[in-house]
Amino acid sequence: MIKTVIVGFSHMHVNEIAMYIDEQPDMELCAVADVPGSGEKIPPFRYTPEWNLENVKKKYCSIVYDDYKKMLDEVKPELAFVLTENSQKVEVCREIAGRRINISIEKPLAASLSDAKEIADIIKKTAFKITRMGQLIGTEASKLLNVPFGIVDLSLAPTPAVGDSVAHILEEIGLESCGGY
């Protein structure tokens, strides 16, 4: 049985990740912990961090920690799913990697190119796996649908935090401008 935890509830996909873990006969969601957001408190509407936490707690895992570092130390998971605000991913990944725990990171990988490079350095310095959840779920979905995996995902869905968007990363790596009409 693979012991898993979830760190952060900023991305709405946390609900699907928890469901996916629950459906796997060889995985167990042992505990969850949120990481306080960097912005103002958002009312607990559907898919906001507070709503996501309560939904996952009610449906998939009743063990909730206030401190994700304490959770990592006590639960000793084999895999941590990171769904924090994008600006928090480097610090959270550094903490998880320091404990030699495999990591799955919700897209985007980081809030900036420099953060992505820092996560890449963490990967280089440690011998464990870091995956993107989109690939994990996409691979499984393609098997279920009997279609080849290999789409380009340009979803710019931000977390509820203002300015927490994939668009900034794309612009930083060279795309002139992101936006819509």
Side-chain angles (χ1 to χ4, degrees), residues 20-158:
Y20 174 78
I21 295 166
D22 188 60
E23 292 173 349
Q24 303 312 303
D26 59 344
M27 295 178 90
E28 176 186 10
L29 182 54
C30 300
V32 299
D34 200 8
V35 178
S38 58
E40 62 185 70
K41 184 156 171 63
I42 301 168
F45 297 121
R46 188 174 183 88
Y47 300 125
T48 60
E50 187 177 339
W51 186 92
N52 290 337
L53 175 60
E54 288 305 313
N55 187 56
V56 169
K57 179 181 172 184
K58 181 173 67 173
K59 292 182 177 180
Y60 306 108
C61 182
S62 62
I63 302 171
V64 179
Y65 281 76
D66 291 329
D67 181 341
Y68 80 95
K69 296 173 191 175
K70 182 177 179 183
M71 176 185 70
L72 296 171
D73 292 338
E74 290 182 3
V75 174
K76 299 187 184 330
E78 297 165 78
L79 175 60
F81 291 87
V82 177
L83 292 110
T84 61
E85 288 182 9
N86 299 332
S87 61
Q88 298 170 319
K89 289 180 179 173
V90 171
E91 178 60 31
V92 171
C93 287
R94 190 181 302 116
E95 288 291 334
I96 296 169
R99 291 164 173 82
R100 311 288 297 162
I101 299 167
N102 296 308
I103 304 170
S104 182
I105 305 171
E106 172 63 14
K107 67 178 176 148
L109 177 65
S112 66
L113 182 58
S114 62
D115 283 356
K117 287 179 179 178
E118 189 167 344
I119 290 175
D121 286 341
I122 292 168
I123 295 168
K124 290 176 193 173
K125 293 175 185 173
T126 56
F128 63 96
K129 298 173 189 166
I130 294 184
T131 67
R132 281 190 49 236
M133 284 179 218
Q135 180 156 358
L136 179 69
I137 300 302
T139 301
E140 289 301 314
S142 68
K143 287 178 190 173
L144 291 171
L145 297 170
N146 197 28
V147 296
F149 176 74
I151 62 166
V152 175
D153 184 354
L154 291 179
S155 167
L156 301 179

